[in-house]
Amino acid sequence: MHSQNRNTLTLWLSLSCAALLVACGGGGSHKDARVRLLNASADLSSADLFVENGKLASSIAARSVSAYADRGPGGLSLQIRSSGDGATVASSPATLKDQTHYTVIAYGRTGAIRTSLLQEDQEAPPSGQSKLMVLNLAPEAGALDVFVTAPDASLAGATPFATNLAGGAGSGYLTRNSGSFRVRVTGTGRTDDLRLDLADLKLDSGAVTTLVLTGGSGGVLVHGLTLAQRGEAVRRDNPMARVRLVAAMAGGRVDGSIGERKLLDAAAAPVIGDYTQVPAAASALRTSLDGQETVRTLPAMTAGGDYTLLLRGPASSATLDVLTDKNRPPAQAGQARLRLVNGLAQPVSLNFNYSPLAGAISPGAAGGGTVTATTSALLTVTATQSAAALHTEPSFAALADGVYTVFMLGGDGTARGVVRRER
């Protein structure tokens, strides 16, 4: 089992004792602990909770919580199992106290599922106040800042509710006035790097609430989930997706937009646009290639996902390919993720340190894999049919946890590669 899975009680280390370890309420007349499962992993479609090989929760869907089950106190082993095949995906020790409520939280992605143990016996705050804790259970998103403000407040000069919140860490419970608030989550130190915007988080008088941040499929945006102490879990999904427009053709001017969001503005092709957030429900892309305007239908996008919209071919008959981008760092330490997006008219192959990484990548497609991190490697892109070198990087640095994309752009006679570091 991966070492991350063995070190799963992250919250016992990262949150204050006041947040998790002080029992401040009764659990009923019985002497058992009360335990439930919150499945906060989108990659784990259905999960079971076992304690000492006894099943306490069954078939808990992603981003939902089970009912409580009773379990005798003491030092125990917790296991998260996939409901489909019964495979254990995470295991951790825990010491449960009698008359105490716990939520076991499963989070993370395939190959790196982790658990945290949340004790739910916080003393209720005074009337007119509310307690809130934020947990960053989206480790692939990196460190995050969280702002809890009035609905119309600017982030300029705002003080974060929690700052530099690493994956697996939490803010501890903080008391503030009750009411309705806007929650914005950003990359640490960058208020322009918005990852989630919740317009109406309601904190009731006397309530204790945990806001759980979970990872989006693209690896950058995050979703929210509110967990009331000993109460229900409510999904607060991010409605946005990140898209970028890439014009691979050799020459011409390109405009592109989705609704009011501009993706490219009279850019000279070939060109790679930056990621822009758009509603995931958006259904149309408007482009102009050398003044020839076209409205193209988009396939359904997953909220929280990343996408490359690839335009290739002559301006008069350009083809649009919609590629799903996985910008999550590799699950295994010491690795980097490398892929190629083929904007040419012929198949190409991607090679890393003289070994094939992805072969015969079709026009309009992407392919790649993970590689051992290194500061200097030979990266080549070759024409699949002739093995002719189309692009070479003699000293390519693939840093640990990095995500890289090689774009092949231009016409077959003028092909060139451009490397982007995504993470």
Side-chain angles (χ1 to χ4, degrees):
M1 180 175 293
H2 195 283
S3 61
Q4 288 180 321
N5 291 343
R6 294 194 298 268
N7 186 23
T8 53
L9 292 183
T10 310
L11 296 184
W12 292 109
L13 301 177
S14 59
L15 301 181
S16 67
C17 291
L20 294 181
L21 300 180
V22 179
C24 301
S29 59
H30 55 76
K31 293 296 184 180
D32 289 339
R34 309 218 71 201
V35 186
R36 62 178 177 172
L37 172 65
L38 173 63
N39 181 2
S41 170
D43 285 6
L44 195 57
S45 59
S46 184
D48 301 337
L49 171 64
F50 284 75
V51 178
E52 293 294 317
N53 293 316
K55 185 184 289 188
L56 264 65
S58 179
S59 301
I60 306 306
R63 300 182 199 152
S64 61
V65 69
S66 73
Y68 284 104
D70 292 344
R71 175 68 208 193
L76 304 166
S77 173
L78 309 177
Q79 301 102 35
I80 305 297
R81 300 184 188 179
S82 171
S83 300
D85 56 15
T88 298
V89 296
S91 180
S92 60
T95 299
L96 304 182
K97 300 177 182 179
D98 60 10
Q99 301 187 69
T100 305
H101 295 76
Y102 298 93
T103 295
V104 180
I105 308 176
Y107 68 98
R109 62 187 188 272
T110 301
I113 301 296
R114 312 177 190 184
T115 64
S116 291
L117 188 63
L118 176 67
Q119 186 174 320
E120 297 184 281
D121 294 285
Q122 281 287 309
E123 184 177 4
S127 177
Q129 295 188 318
S130 189
K131 283 185 177 180
L132 174 66
M133 176 168 65
V134 180
L135 305 180
N136 178 6
L137 300 189
E140 64 271 22
L144 301 172
D145 289 349
V146 181
F147 295 84
V148 181
T149 69
D152 57 352
S154 168
L155 289 187
T159 300
F161 177 86
T163 187
N164 199 24
L165 205 60
S171 64
Y173 285 107
L174 300 176
T175 301
R176 58 180 305 133
N177 291 336
S178 56
S180 293
F181 299 90
R182 183 178 180 183
V183 176
R184 280 165 284 187
V185 180
T186 71
T188 291
R190 290 191 55 190
T191 55
D192 61 334
D193 181 17
L194 187 64
R195 309 294 187 86
L196 176 67
D197 188 350
L198 299 179
D200 57 347
L201 178 68
K202 187 176 182 181
L203 300 178
D204 292 329
S205 174
V208 178
T209 304
T210 300
L211 172 62
V212 180
L213 304 178
T214 65
S217 60
V220 176
L221 299 180
V222 299
H223 297 291
L225 186 151
T226 55
L227 182 67
Q229 179 164 271
R230 307 188 203 173
E232 65 178 351
V234 178
R235 290 176 57 161
R236 303 299 303 270
D237 290 358
N238 194 331
M240 309 299 283
R242 296 198 316 157
V243 303
R244 62 181 169 193
L245 182 59
V246 177
M249 60 278 301
R253 291 282 174 178
V254 185
D255 289 272
S257 59
I258 294 177
E260 300 299 319
R261 308 294 177 100
K262 200 75 171 176
L263 304 181
L264 288 175
D265 189 5
V271 62
I272 303 167
D274 294 329
Y275 279 111
T276 301
Q277 289 192 40
V278 303
S283 59
L285 168 69
R286 185 179 298 274
T287 61
S288 176
L289 305 178
D290 285 338
Q292 181 176 326
E293 188 169 285
T294 306
V295 177
R296 305 167 190 271
T297 300
L298 294 173
M301 294 186 290
T302 300
D306 286 0
Y307 296 88
T308 292
L309 310 181
L310 178 65
L311 283 174
R312 57 187 178 87
S316 59
S317 58
T319 298
L320 175 68
D321 300 291
V322 179
L323 307 177
T324 301
D325 299 338
K326 295 291 188 181
N327 288 322
R328 294 172 165 182
Q332 185 174 349
Q335 300 281 304
R337 191 184 303 279
L338 178 63
R339 64 172 171 245
L340 183 144
V341 171
N342 185 8
L344 306 180
Q346 62 174 317
V348 296
S349 298
L350 176 62
N351 311 285
F352 186 82
N353 268 348
Y354 304 98
S355 297
L357 186 62
I361 302 171
S362 301
T370 57
V371 299
T372 300
T374 178
T375 57
S376 182
L378 174 64
L379 184 152
T380 60
V381 179
T382 57
T384 300
Q385 296 174 347
S386 66
L390 302 176
H391 179 75
T392 300
E393 297 268 347
S395 299
F396 179 73
L399 303 181
D401 297 328
V403 179
Y404 303 86
T405 303
V406 182
F407 292 90
M408 293 304 298
L409 308 173
D412 286 341
T414 59
R416 66 186 182 94
V418 179
V419 179
R420 284 285 178 92
R421 182 175 182 182
E422 314 290 7
R423 301 295 299 275

